[in-house]
Amino acid sequence: MEPKKTPLHQKHIQEKGRIIDFAGWLLPVEYRSMLSEAKAARISCGIFDASHMGELLVKGPRAVDFLQKLTSNDISSLAFGRMQYNLLLNEDAGIIDDLMVYRKEKDLLCVVNASNKDKALAWLMKNSSTGIVIEDVSSKTALISLQGPTAHNIIREVFGRDFEELRYMFFLERKIEGRDILVSRSGYTAEDGFEIYTDWDEAGLWWDKFVSAGKKYGLTFCGLGARDILRIEAGYPLYGHEIDEEINPYEASLGWAVKLERKFMARDKLLKIREKELKRKRVGFIMQSRALVRQGYPVYSGASKIGEVTSGTYSPNLERFIGMAYVGKDYARIGTKISVEVRGKHYEAEIAKFSFIGPKTKKNSFKEAA
Amino acid sequence: MSIMKFAKSHEWARVDNDTAVIGITDYAQAQLGDIVFIELPKAGDSLKQSSQLGTVESTKAASELYLPLGGKVIEVNEDLINNPQWINESPQERGWMIKIKIENPAELDGLMDEVSYKEFIDKEAHT
C-alpha cells in the first residue's frame, strides 16, 4: 500500500526532514539531529507533526457506558473538558491499544495509535450496540504537538490566554478566526506541552503560525526520533514495544490505569491475574557504561537470562544510555543490577525508576478542591 | 605533506609517508546520523585492508567500519570513545579514529582522491 502523507508533508520536505515510512505514514525521523531535537523539547520547545494518529469519535447517549465496558480506567467521573489515559483491552486483558479519551460535551474523542487505528475501530464496532455511533475522523483531523517549557508562550500568542491557562489533561474547543480547533495541555514527553487538533486542510496554516510565533521561543522542528527518545526518557510505553495483546496492564506497570472497583469486560480476568504472581514486569534501566541497547536484546542477571529489552536509546538530556525491558518479577526492584547483551558482550545496567526525567507536567495539574 | 585518500566504504586515510590516520567521511557521518557509540581496535593490533576497523552506532543503527589500508595500529583516539559526537561534528579532525603504520603502500592505488570521491558520492546520492 502506498504510504500516506500528512497535511504537513510539504513542510517537512521544505525543512529537509529525513522522511521514513512509519506505520504506513511518511514522516520525518529527524530534521538535522534527533539528539539536539530531543534536547530542544526540554530546554525550549519542540514542534511535532502527529497527524498520523487515529481519532475516533464515540457518540450516542450511552457512549460513556459503552467505552467503559471495553477499557480499564474510569471515564464516568471525568468532567467535560478533561481527558484521561486509558487502555483498550480484549477479553483476556491483553492490550489492544493505549489511548487518550477526551470527554467532550456530546461525544468521546479517542486518540489511538496510527498502527492500531483499524484494529481499535474494528474492536469498538464489534462490541457496539444500538444507539452507539463510532465515527473515524482520522483523515479529517490533523494533530500538531508543541512540547517544552516555552510552549505556553506560543500557545498564548497564537490562541490567547484561555488556552495558555489550561491545566494539565484539560482541553478547550473553540472556533478561532472561523476555524475549529481543540487544544489540550498534554503530550508524550512528560514535558509541559500542548496538543492541537485542527482540520486536516488547515494544519499548514496553524503550523506556520506556531513556527512564526515560536521564533523568539526557540521553537525546533522535531521528528519521530526525538519523539521516541522523549517518551523513553518519560518512561511511557509504546505499542509494539512495551505493550501488545499478549501483555496485561499489570505486567506493563500500568496498574494505575486499571479501576477494578467498576465492572468492565476484562475485569474478571484481571482479578484472576492479580491473584497469581506476575511472570514479568516492565522496568526501566540505566546502562552503567556506553552501550546503546535495542528491542530484543537479552537481559541477564549473572549468567541467567531474565528478560528482554523493549526500547533503548541514548538520552541526550540525561547523557546516559537508558532503556525499558520486561524482566522476571524478582528482578524488577529499583537498584537491581542486571546486564544487557550487546553484540555478544555484556554491559552492566541498573533498574531505575520511570520516568527517567522528573515530569514537568505536575505543576500545571488541577488541584481538586478539598 | 600528507595526502587524503578515500575508500568506497566511506572511510578516509590521511597518509603521511608510511603512516595513515583513519576516520569516516562527512558524507558517512551525515548518513549515519547522531553517533553515540564507537568501538575501535587496540594499539598494537595488526589488521588487513578491508578488515573490520570497528563499529559505530548512531541513534538509528549500528554499522561496521572497514579499514581502507592494512597495517599495524600505532595510536587510537581514546577520547573519541567518550565523545563519539566528534565524528558528527568534525569527521576529519577531532573525529579521527586510529593511526596505522602502512603495511603495503601499493594498497593506496586502489583508493580515491578527493575529487574522485566527490564524484563517487554524487553518483551514489542519485541512485
Side-chain angles (χ1 to χ4, degrees), chain B residues 35-69:
Chain B
I35 293 165
V36 293
F37 176 84
I38 177 145
E39 205 165 28
L40 294 171
K42 287 188 224 22
D45 287 357
S46 277
L47 301 168
K48 288 201 164 55
Q49 186 181 34
S50 304
S51 65
Q52 201 181 320
L53 152 66
T55 307
V56 281
E57 189 154 29
S58 74
T59 45
K60 276 175 267 168
S63 316
E64 308 295 337
L65 304 176
Y66 300 97
L67 208 59
L69 292 165

Side-chain angles (χ1 to χ4, degrees), chain A residues 52-235:
Chain A
H52 59 297
M53 298 292 284
E55 290 88 9
L56 308 174
L57 277 177
V58 181
K59 302 174 172 183
R62 297 184 49 79
V64 170
D65 292 341
F66 164 69
L67 201 62
Q68 287 277 83
K69 194 174 70 181
L70 305 177
T71 53
S72 62
N73 209 337
D74 188 1
I75 50 172
S76 65
S77 56
L78 205 61
F80 298 137
R82 297 191 77 161
M83 61 195 280
Q84 190 183 66
Y85 179 78
N86 212 329
L87 299 168
L88 190 64
L89 302 180
N90 63 26
E91 297 102 324
D92 295 324
I95 302 170
I96 294 176
D97 199 10
D98 62 345
L99 68 162
M100 281 290 179
V101 181
Y102 288 70
R103 181 104 193 240
K104 311 213 295 180
E105 267 182 57
K106 287 197 180 123
D107 320 319
L108 295 167
L109 169 65
C110 299
V111 182
V112 299
N113 283 301
S115 54
N116 284 336
K117 193 257 287 172
D118 292 339
K119 188 181 73 168
L121 180 61
W123 182 247
L124 292 180
M125 300 294 261
K126 189 186 164 199
N127 290 282
S128 178
S129 53
T130 318
I132 299 293
V133 178
I134 299 152
E135 192 188 346
D136 178 1
V137 292
S138 308
S139 60
K140 301 196 270 196
T141 313
L143 172 54
I144 299 170
S145 183
L146 294 178
Q147 300 287 306
T150 66
H152 69 98
N153 293 306
I154 302 166
I155 289 294
R156 182 187 63 243
E157 292 201 5
V158 176
F159 295 131
R161 284 216 181 269
D162 291 359
F163 290 87
E164 185 192 23
E165 285 164 9
L166 271 170
R167 302 273 107 193
Y168 183 56
M169 298 294 269
F170 279 68
F171 66 94
L172 265 180
E173 267 186 295
R174 208 161 289 170
K175 247 190 206 326
I176 301 236
E177 298 165 16
R179 298 180 174 88
D180 288 317
I181 52 148
L182 186 157
V183 180
S184 59
R185 194 160 204 156
S186 55
Y188 198 35
T189 59
E191 209 45 64
D192 185 21
F194 296 80
E195 292 176 295
I196 304 101
Y197 299 83
T198 81
D199 239 53
W200 193 259
D201 298 329
E202 290 163 359
L205 178 146
W206 293 116
W207 179 272
D208 289 344
K209 282 185 197 282
F210 297 137
V211 171
S212 143
K215 276 199 181 100
K216 59 177 184 285
Y217 299 114
L219 187 77
T220 302
F221 298 106
C222 291
L224 294 168
R227 186 171 157 90
D228 196 49
I229 292 168
L230 290 159
R231 70 97 192 161
I232 297 173
E233 288 179 343

Side-chain angles (χ1 to χ4, degrees), chain A residues 18 33 35 290 294 345, chain B residues 30 34 36 39 57-58 81:
Chain A
R18 200 191 288 251
S33 143
L35 295 182
R290 299 193 71 93
R294 297 181 192 273
K345 271 191 214 167
Chain B
D34 292 317
V36 293
E39 205 165 28
E57 189 154 29
S58 74
I81 311 283

Side-chain angles (χ1 to χ4, degrees), chain B residues 1-29:
Chain B
M1 254 280 284
S2 60
I3 52 159
M4 288 299 289
K5 288 285 189 182
F6 298 86
K8 283 185 176 167
S9 47
H10 306 292
E11 293 84 18
W12 55 261
R14 188 183 296 116
V15 182
D16 202 345
N17 295 318
D18 63 345
T19 65
V21 176
I22 287 160
I24 65 167
T25 65
D26 189 50
Y27 176 82
Q29 71 76 20

Side-chain angles (χ1 to χ4, degrees), chain A residues 6-9 12 27 47-52 143-145 207 222:
Chain A
T6 76
L8 300 163
H9 186 72
H12 307 319
L27 283 164
I47 184 167
F48 302 76
D49 176 10
S51 300
H52 59 297
L143 172 54
I144 299 170
S145 183
W207 179 272
C222 291

Side-chain angles (χ1 to χ4, degrees), chain A residues 90 92-96 239 243-248 251 280:
Chain A
N90 63 26
D92 295 324
I95 302 170
I96 294 176
Y239 198 90
I243 50 178
D244 62 40
E245 289 191 44
E246 306 299 316
I247 292 167
N248 71 58
E251 294 172 316
R280 54 185 175 175

